[in-house]
Amino acid sequence: SADRLSPAQELEPTRSAEADPTWLSRGLWLLLPAAASALLLATTNTICQEIAVIPFLWVLPLGLYLLSFILTFDSPRWYQRKHFLPMLAALTPLIIGYTNHPSLLPRGIVWPVALYCASVFVFCMCCHGELAKRKPKPAHLTTFYLMIAAGGALGGCFTALIAPRIFN
C-alpha cells in the first residue's frame, strides 16, 4: 500500500513535531554551565591560594560541582527552585561581605572554606538545575551537550584569561 515505508525510509531519523530550540535556549545552554564553571575555578583558586595551601583541597569544590551536576540531571526532585534561590540570595551577601571584610568570620580555615563550598554547591545547583529543566527532546540532545561542554570551556577561559585582567 502507499502508506507503507520502504526499508530505507524506516532507518531514517524522523523529524518530530517539536520546535527547534530558540537562540535564547541555546544561549542559556552555553551561559549556565559557563557561569558554574567560572565560579568553580574562581572559588578553587581563592580557597587554595588565599585561604589554605593544603594539598588536594581543590577536590572539595570540584566534588560539590560534580555532585550538583549529578543530582540535577538525575531527577527533578533534587533541584527545587523555591528552595535553592533563597539560599543563593542569602549566601551571596555573605560571600561579598567576607571577601571585603575577612574578619567577619572566625579565624582559621574551616569557616571560610565551608562558606565558599556552600556557595559553590548552591550556585551550581541553581545553574545545573535550570539547565536540566531546559533539557530538550532527544532530537536536540547533541547540540545541548555540545553547548554544555563549550560553556564549561568558556567559563574556564574567562576565569583564567579575562577575569585577572578586569578584576583586582
Side-chain angles (χ1 to χ4, degrees):
S1 85
D3 293 340
R4 192 167 169 170
L5 298 175
S6 72
Q9 289 173 320
E10 288 178 4
L11 294 177
E12 290 178 9
T14 56
R15 182 95 179 163
S16 64
E18 70 183 78
D20 287 339
T22 64
W23 284 105
L24 177 62
S25 294
R26 292 173 194 245
L28 286 171
W29 295 348
L30 181 73
L31 294 177
L32 287 168
S37 174
L39 182 78
L40 166 69
L41 294 171
T43 303
T44 301
N45 288 341
T46 300
I47 289 173
C48 294
Q49 294 175 1
E50 296 181 21
I51 295 177
V53 181
I54 298 174
F56 298 110
L57 184 58
W58 57 270
V59 173
L60 186 57
L62 176 62
L64 294 170
Y65 171 88
L66 294 173
L67 180 63
S68 72
F69 214 104
I70 291 166
L71 292 176
T72 56
F73 279 85
D74 173 54
S75 169
R77 74 175 183 264
W78 294 110
Y79 173 69
Q80 299 293 317
R81 187 182 290 154
K82 65 182 178 183
H83 299 301
F84 279 95
L85 288 182
M87 285 190 275
L88 182 62
L91 284 169
T92 300
L94 289 174
I95 283 289
I96 293 170
Y98 174 74
T99 302
N100 292 324
H101 305 287
S103 62
L104 291 175
L105 292 177
R107 295 188 79 134
I109 65 167
V110 174
W111 287 106
V113 169
L115 178 62
Y116 278 112
C117 286
S119 297
V120 164
F121 182 71
V122 170
F123 186 84
C124 289
M125 281 294 288
C126 290
C127 288
H128 294 150
E130 293 300 320
L131 189 61
K133 285 180 182 285
R134 288 164 174 74
K135 185 176 175 184
K137 301 289 184 203
H140 300 290
L141 284 178
T142 303
T143 304
F144 178 70
Y145 290 121
L146 180 63
M147 297 299 276
I148 290 174
L154 181 67
C157 289
F158 175 81
T159 303
L161 303 174
I162 299 168
R165 287 168 176 68
I166 61 174
F167 300 119
N168 61 12

